Amino acid sequence: MGNYTLLNEFILLGIPQTQGLETLLFVVFLFIYFFTLLGNSLIFTAITSSSTLHTPMYFFLGLLSIFDMLFPSVTCPKMLFYLSGRSPAISYKGCAAQLFFYHLLGSTEGCLYSVMAYDRYVAICHPLRYMLIMKPGVCVSLVITAFLVGCLHATILTSLTFQLVYCASNQVDYFFCDLPAVLPLACTDSKLARKVGSINVGFLALMLLFSVCVSYIHIGVAILRIRSAEGRQKAFSTCSAHLTAILCAYGPVIIIYLQRTPNPLLGAVVQILNNIVSPMLNSLIYSLRK
């Protein structure tokens, strides 16, 4: 340990195999990020300003719009900064903060998808008791639980990653600080952090996806029991936007963290879909459907 020169910053090398495309990528990602902030802020404003939308479903949707603004803000501003020709350096603490908030917001949003699936289950399968079950106190408790799960998840991953010693190369071959890109730079054994990271992320994603599937299986059975075609279509329309958003969110996560031989370009493309494109699509999906 005494012979190590500890790093105080990392260099983000950006998206693999995109050298020479910085100006084009800057324009594209700036547009997407701006549209994401605009679309989700309009959804949140519409929900808070209209008393008819002060229901549990729109309460969760309003929170989702907040997370869809915060989540890309963890990585996109820094990426736009160095795509514009500025310094690609990020401080050691900044790298740790980026990893922590990326997993905090990402996992909390994943929990929120499960909560929204449960909300749809109660609305369709128990419509007469909906307001009794989904009381304001229950809704707030579910959100707090989702945040605590995300906080625990992010704390475990960040502490395991940055308790390691980083003393050699400081070049992160990625566009932000994440486990697969940072851990290979460690001077000490990172097998435990790699294993715990893969298990933690994979287990949480699969458990949340399983809870969503259970809710929608019950919803599907309830919809099939509705006799009128109009009633079935109305019930399905309340869930279609949420199902579409879930597919956009969980697909990239599972692909990234469960692949045996990571492909840098594929991983970057999938992460961009997850980090930047998916929050923009959510605003389109919910505004068009709701």
Side-chain angles (χ1 to χ4, degrees):
M1 290 288 294
N3 294 329
Y4 290 157
T5 301
L6 301 182
L7 301 178
N8 56 15
E9 69 174 14
F10 293 95
I11 304 297
L12 299 174
L13 298 183
I15 303 170
Q17 303 177 28
T18 59
Q19 289 75 16
L21 300 175
E22 288 81 4
T23 303
L24 175 63
L25 293 175
F26 174 80
V27 173
V28 171
F29 292 139
L30 179 63
F31 172 78
I32 294 174
Y33 183 55
F34 173 77
F35 194 88
T36 299
L37 297 180
L38 177 63
N40 284 288
S41 62
L42 289 176
I43 290 177
F44 180 75
T45 302
I47 292 172
T48 54
S49 60
S50 176
S51 58
T52 59
L53 300 181
H54 293 175
T55 62
M57 179 179 71
Y58 288 102
F59 169 69
F60 296 129
L61 181 56
L63 287 175
L64 181 64
S65 65
I66 294 176
F67 280 102
D68 280 338
M69 288 187 285
L70 295 176
F71 188 49
S73 298
V74 174
T75 59
C76 199
K78 182 62 181 178
M79 181 172 64
L80 291 173
F81 185 78
Y82 63 71
L83 284 176
S84 65
R86 308 292 181 86
S87 172
I90 183 171
S91 67
Y92 184 89
K93 291 182 179 179
C95 186
Q98 197 174 58
L99 189 147
F100 175 81
F101 284 107
Y102 170 76
H103 285 278
L104 169 65
L105 296 172
S107 55
T108 303
E109 187 168 342
C111 293
L112 189 58
Y113 281 124
S114 296
V115 170
M116 294 174 73
Y118 175 72
D119 172 72
R120 293 299 82 210
Y121 157 73
V122 176
I124 293 175
C125 298
H126 304 284
L128 299 179
R129 295 193 297 154
Y130 176 68
M131 295 307 298
L132 180 64
I133 296 174
M134 301 302 294
K135 295 184 293 186
V138 173
C139 294
V140 172
S141 298
L142 289 172
V143 172
I144 292 175
T145 301
F147 179 78
L148 292 176
V149 170
C151 191
L152 177 63
H153 169 75
T155 301
I156 291 173
L157 296 186
T158 306
S159 60
L160 281 175
T161 302
F162 287 94
Q163 73 176 0
L164 301 173
V165 177
Y166 295 90
C167 59
S169 174
N170 67 340
Q171 296 186 340
V172 179
D173 192 15
Y174 218 40
F175 63 97
F176 75 103
C177 292
D178 195 16
L179 297 178
V182 174
L183 288 178
L185 304 179
C187 297
T188 50
D189 189 6
S190 61
K191 289 182 180 178
L192 177 62
R194 291 172 186 267
K195 185 175 294 186
V196 173
S198 297
I199 293 174
N200 201 357
V201 174
F203 178 76
L204 180 61
L206 291 175
M207 285 299 297
L208 293 177
L209 185 59
F210 175 76
S211 68
V212 170
C213 291
V214 170
S215 295
Y216 274 103
I217 288 173
H218 286 88
I219 290 172
V221 172
I223 291 176
L224 291 176
R225 290 177 179 173
I226 299 175
R227 295 183 179 181
S228 67
E230 182 181 352
R232 286 196 297 269
Q233 185 174 358
K234 183 179 180 181
F236 178 76
S237 66
T238 64
C239 304
S240 58
H242 184 235
L243 277 172
T244 305
I246 286 173
L247 291 175
C248 294
Y250 281 105
V253 173
I254 294 174
I255 292 174
I256 293 168
Y257 290 98
L258 297 186
Q259 56 180 333
R260 291 188 176 182
T261 55
N263 184 309
L265 181 58
L266 174 63
V269 171
V270 174
Q271 281 282 27
I272 290 170
L273 291 175
N274 184 47
N275 294 12
I276 303 171
V277 179
S278 181
M280 179 194 69
L281 291 178
N282 282 351
S283 63
L284 288 173
I285 292 167
Y286 282 104
S287 61
L288 290 175
R289 296 299 302 177
K290 302 302 180 184

